Amino acid sequence: MSEDDSRALPERFNFAEHLLATNAQRGDRIAFIDDTGTLSYGELEQRVRRVAAGLLALGLKREERVLLAMHDGRDWPVAFLGALYAGVVPVAVNTLLTADDYAYMLEHSRAQALFVSGALVPVLNMAMVKSDHEVQKIIVAQPLQPLPPAHVDFEAFVQQNAPAPRAARTGPDDPAFWLYSSGSTGRPKGTVHAHANPYWTIELYGKAVLGLRADDVCFSAAKLFFAYGLGNALTFPLGVGACVLLAAERPTPEAMFRRLRGEVGGVRPTLFFCAPTGYANMLAHPALPRRDEVALRLASSAGEALPADLGERFKRHFGVDIVDGIGSTEMLHIFLSNRPERIRYGTTGWPVDGYRVELRGDDGGAVPDGEPGDLYVHGPSSALMYWGNRAKSRETFQGGWTRSGDKYIRNADGSYTYAGRSDDMLKVSGVYVSPFEVEATLAQHPAVLEAAVIGVADADGLTRTKAFVVRKSGGVVDETALRAFAKERLAPYKLPRQLVFVDELPKTATGKIQRFRLREAEAAARAGGTP
């Protein structure tokens, strides 16, 4: 692969057109199954081209944005790919946000149209009242009530136009879509990806690492608006002609179990994609399916590092491995990963072919094996920029390298072990402490569901660790017992100086723990005189 990866693709390249051409001979095969029915590859092509024609008929021009706030279902990939086919840029957003969040995104993206699920219409209407930006057309999927004049039913929008005769003449480096960063470290940033980027994630990870096949059935607990979910449930399976099972509802253990057992759509997934929190909730649930009730051949994890104990327990129960890896919104999907044939639980594995990684110290130089460093990655799926944020773009995208914001340790066998977010790493008594290591240790206790660790200042202004712990339903453990448990497994300087039990932890919609929220709450409590 050349240093300029885009040269490996033709000068004219439209990602939606590429996917439709890939599956041109699979017209009768099922591409998507949701709670209401199925969509074949032939139907997908026709509907994508009709949506493209509809957007152009509205007067939208190349690279203008359309906001996509829809629950996972058959209409989501139609809207997303239809926009790409037309050269319009879909901005896929979290479906659990507030009206203020959506108002910001409407203004920031300057979206000219809006695709929205019927259940989300009220909050999006509130957002438009709060925003000074006007949207030309609001297209509603599965409306729950009669629509006002400014709104149009998605199905009517699809059917009222003949299929677009050809895709927009985009190139591999042209802006294709935006994803907003998940907000684990603060305000979301509009991350702009090119048409070539998802192509490379399919080739380098979906095919080369996961070994996706046309006879696979994919189910992702991570939603489509999340970079991880977009690969799992759209680009990867469509890149090989596989089938996708979609779920509009929240990924509760019960919802995941119904689909893993084949109770929705009559098919059982062969590949399952989830985050560590989801796996922990599944394994702690009394209705966990038996091994013979599922058809899994492989499971995948990302979002946060997978604790070794969690992967090993899943393997013992289901007989299949969880392939843990790290990706990011900025890199679109996973670039450092275990392999189905080479699993080392407790690590994030080895660099994916086609990507290079480096660990750098505070001085920018390389760090030796065994010591934590900032993870930088170089590869063909890196985003173009953060929209309207030059300072953050320069900080993250550095001469072909992307600063991930994660701390890692390189092991002697070339694998990498997660050491926390760069802004979450703690320096206690002059030594770096990984919050993830402490959290993973606490989570090994049979009564603990999950934990989050932050640094707090003591009376002398020195950093000390504080752990917030969520017990499993019915789990019994007190502070003394849990502290003794951790003391047997952690070096003394890594032990939490404070330990509190909470009902839940603040998280993004994709399951990432928002430690900055815990830090904010701690600072507010201290400012108010609460220790």
Side-chain angles (χ1 to χ4, degrees):
M1 187 177 298
S2 67
E3 190 72 15
D4 182 4
D5 303 293
S6 64
R7 292 177 186 169
L9 292 172
E11 183 177 348
R12 177 188 170 187
F13 182 80
N14 180 289
F15 181 67
E17 182 182 35
H18 166 73
L19 288 184
L20 297 183
T22 297
N23 297 292
Q25 304 305 313
R26 298 188 174 104
D28 294 334
R29 295 196 61 179
I30 298 300
F32 292 98
I33 302 172
D34 65 12
D35 295 334
T36 62
T38 63
L39 185 70
S40 71
Y41 274 101
E43 292 168 330
L44 174 68
E45 175 177 3
Q46 289 298 304
R47 291 172 72 83
V48 163
R49 293 170 57 200
R50 287 177 183 272
V51 165
L55 291 172
L56 296 174
L58 290 177
L60 269 71
K61 298 179 174 58
R62 281 271 301 274
E63 297 180 17
E64 288 187 328
R65 272 76 64 194
V66 53
L67 203 74
L68 199 164
M70 298 170 68
H71 291 130
D72 283 19
R74 291 173 293 154
D75 293 336
W76 203 105
V78 170
F80 182 83
L81 295 174
L84 264 65
Y85 197 85
V88 174
V89 176
V91 180
V93 298
N94 187 330
T95 56
L96 298 174
L97 300 179
T98 66
D100 287 339
D101 292 323
Y102 290 128
Y104 164 75
M105 291 174 175
L106 284 166
E107 292 181 355
H108 183 246
S109 66
R110 299 194 286 275
Q112 297 300 301
L114 169 62
F115 288 109
V116 59
S117 291
L120 298 175
V121 167
V123 68
L124 265 299
N125 282 341
M126 288 177 58
M128 285 182 283
V129 170
K130 291 173 175 284
S131 170
D132 293 330
H133 177 71
E134 293 186 6
V135 174
Q136 292 184 35
K137 186 66 70 174
I138 302 164
I139 305 150
V140 183
Q142 299 181 341
L144 303 182
Q145 58 189 15
L147 297 174
H151 299 57
V152 61
D153 179 82
F154 183 88
E155 190 59 34
F157 181 77
V158 171
Q159 297 301 333
Q160 69 189 14
N161 294 283
R166 64 186 65 84
R169 295 181 63 86
T170 53
D173 291 332
D174 285 344
F177 59 94
W178 294 15
L179 299 172
Y180 275 94
S181 62
S182 59
S184 60
T185 59
R187 188 149 202 179
K189 300 175 287 293
T191 310
V192 183
H193 279 284
H195 278 267
N197 294 10
Y199 169 86
W200 289 117
T201 65
I202 294 169
E203 297 299 313
L204 300 178
Y205 196 76
K207 293 180 180 179
V209 174
L210 296 181
L212 271 164
R213 310 186 300 252
D215 61 350
D216 275 317
V217 177
C218 299
F219 172 50
S220 175
K223 299 300 184 182
L224 284 162
F225 63 77
F226 179 36
Y228 181 48
L230 182 65
N232 305 339
L234 199 160
T235 61
F236 288 0
L238 266 59
V240 299
C243 177
V244 184
L245 191 58
L246 295 173
E249 63 186 313
R250 289 178 56 246
T252 63
E254 297 88 348
M256 292 188 283
F257 295 163
R258 285 196 297 273
R259 288 164 179 83
L260 290 175
R261 289 191 179 105
E263 296 170 10
V264 178
V267 297
R268 293 189 297 174
T270 57
L271 269 77
F272 177 52
F273 303 84
C274 196
T277 297
Y279 286 115
N281 289 335
M282 286 173 59
L283 291 173
H285 199 280
L288 182 67
R290 300 188 311 271
R291 182 185 298 194
D292 62 357
E293 292 184 285
V294 305
L296 294 177
R297 70 172 183 86
L298 196 64
S300 165
S301 178
E304 287 195 314
L306 180 77
D309 175 67
L310 198 56
E312 290 162 356
R313 286 193 288 126
F314 187 92
K315 173 69 176 289
R316 285 196 298 271
H317 184 85
F318 288 108
V320 297
D321 279 306
I322 300 176
V323 179
D324 184 37
I326 180 177
S328 67
T329 305
E330 291 76 11
M331 294 303 297
L332 190 56
H333 214 276
I334 292 171
F335 52 84
L336 182 65
S337 181
N338 283 271
R339 306 294 195 277
E341 71 284 355
R342 191 184 188 192
I343 300 286
R344 183 181 170 190
Y345 284 124
T347 79
T348 312
W350 297 263
V352 172
D353 289 345
Y355 294 88
R356 288 183 283 147
V357 301
E358 289 184 359
L359 297 185
R360 302 178 186 175
D362 293 339
D363 61 357
V367 299
D369 287 1
E371 293 187 13
D374 291 309
L375 179 68
Y376 285 74
V377 57
H378 187 291
S381 61
S382 177
L384 299 173
M385 61 177 165
Y386 296 129
W387 181 263
N389 195 334
R390 181 180 295 185
K392 277 290 184 183
S393 293
R394 286 177 169 174
E395 180 182 317
T396 300
F397 307 108
Q398 302 180 8
W401 290 89
T402 298
R403 184 177 184 271
S404 73
D406 294 291
K407 289 275 189 182
Y408 265 84
I409 295 169
R410 188 177 187 272
N411 305 307
D413 64 355
S415 65
Y416 289 77
T417 298
Y418 182 64
R421 290 288 297 175
S422 298
D423 47 10
D424 287 334
M425 286 292 288
L426 307 174
K427 211 164 194 179
V428 180
S429 300
V431 181
Y432 274 118
V433 174
S434 163
F436 177 75
E437 180 185 2
V438 181
E439 293 161 2
T441 300
L442 294 172
Q444 290 174 19
H445 192 284
V448 173
L449 178 63
E450 58 187 352
V453 173
I454 63 170
V456 297
D458 64 12
D460 297 318
L462 299 174
T463 298
R464 297 291 182 257
T465 51
K466 182 172 183 176
F468 298 81
V469 179
V470 179
R471 296 183 183 96
K472 292 179 182 176
S473 177
V476 178
V477 64
D478 60 16
E479 180 179 350
T480 302
L482 187 56
R483 194 178 298 280
F485 177 87
K487 189 174 182 179
E488 295 176 355
R489 294 162 173 80
L490 290 171
Y493 71 91
K494 297 180 181 179
L495 288 171
R497 298 298 179 92
Q498 299 178 53
L499 194 154
V500 296
F501 292 98
V502 295
D503 293 333
E504 61 181 356
L505 297 173
K507 295 176 183 173
T508 68
T510 55
K512 293 182 182 180
I513 295 171
Q514 294 177 308
R515 296 176 188 83
F516 78 95
R517 297 289 186 201
L518 295 172
R519 291 194 291 268
E520 289 173 351
E522 188 72 17
R526 288 175 176 270
T530 303

